[in-house]
């Protein structure tokens, strides 16, 4: 009987410890690929990726007639889902603030180009 109880204790401890380890495998729930839209002074779509360390990168494709108007995205997403980043166009030397927040499956925020008095919003969903 003692052997049976010991065996049950070992099995339940093993099951409990492995079921809890899944939560620690990916401490940043925002990790993955995201797609969305931007509106305002620039209109278009964007794609991006959040890495496990919170690094954020991507690209904005504007609805302008030329790819010269496209932007690269970079920034950092913290454990609360808050994004602080930039939207940069090297052709015209434009850098805008790209800030907002992500939830588990959606994200939203604003972008601001202070030098030109332009701004807008962005929305996203996780792929």
């Amino acid at each position: 009987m003692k052997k049976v109880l010991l065996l049950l204790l070992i099995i339940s401890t093993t099951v409990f410890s492995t079921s809890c380890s899944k939560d620690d495998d990916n401490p940043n729930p925002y990790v993955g690929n995201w797609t969305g839209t931007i509106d305002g002074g620039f209109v278009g779509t964007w794609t991006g990726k959040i890495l496990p360390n919170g690094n954020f990168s991507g690209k904005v494709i504007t609805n302008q007639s030329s790819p010269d108007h496209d932007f690269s995205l970079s920034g950092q997403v913290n454990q609360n889902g808050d994004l602080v980043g930039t939207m940069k166009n090297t052709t015209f030397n434009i850098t805008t603030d790209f800030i907002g927040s992500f939830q588990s499956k959606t994200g939203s925020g604003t972008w601001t180009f202070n030098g030109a008095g332009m701004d807008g919003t962005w929305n996203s969903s996780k792929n």
Side-chain angles (χ1 to χ4, degrees):
M1 184 68 164
K2 288 181 182 179
K3 288 181 182 180
V4 172
L5 289 175
L6 181 60
L7 183 60
L8 287 174
L9 179 64
I10 292 171
I11 290 172
S12 63
T13 303
T14 304
V15 168
F16 178 73
S17 65
T18 45
S19 67
C20 292
S21 67
K22 181 69 175 154
D23 295 336
D24 298 332
D25 291 345
N26 188 5
N28 189 333
Y30 317 106
V31 170
N33 296 313
W34 293 79
T35 57
T37 59
I38 63 166
D39 290 305
F42 296 111
V43 176
T45 60
W46 71 272
T47 58
K49 184 172 190 170
I50 300 173
L51 299 176
N53 63 2
N55 286 346
F56 169 76
S57 63
K59 184 171 184 172
V60 173
I61 307 293
T62 64
N63 291 347
Q64 304 295 323
S65 59
S66 167
D68 290 344
H69 291 88
D70 295 345
F71 290 80
S72 63
L73 295 169
S74 63
Q76 188 71 30
V77 178
N78 69 18
Q79 290 297 315
N80 295 324
D82 299 323
L83 166 69
V84 176
T86 58
M87 191 168 82
K88 186 171 187 172
N89 176 288
T90 55
T91 303
F92 298 105
N93 197 27
I94 298 170
T95 301
T96 69
D97 296 328
F98 195 80
I99 59 172
S101 63
F102 292 97
Q103 294 76 43
S104 61
K105 299 287 183 190
T106 62
S108 62
T110 60
W111 62 269
T112 306
F113 179 25
N114 292 322
M118 297 172 71
D119 59 12
T121 60
W122 61 268
N123 291 292
S124 65
S125 60
K126 191 172 185 181
N127 297 342

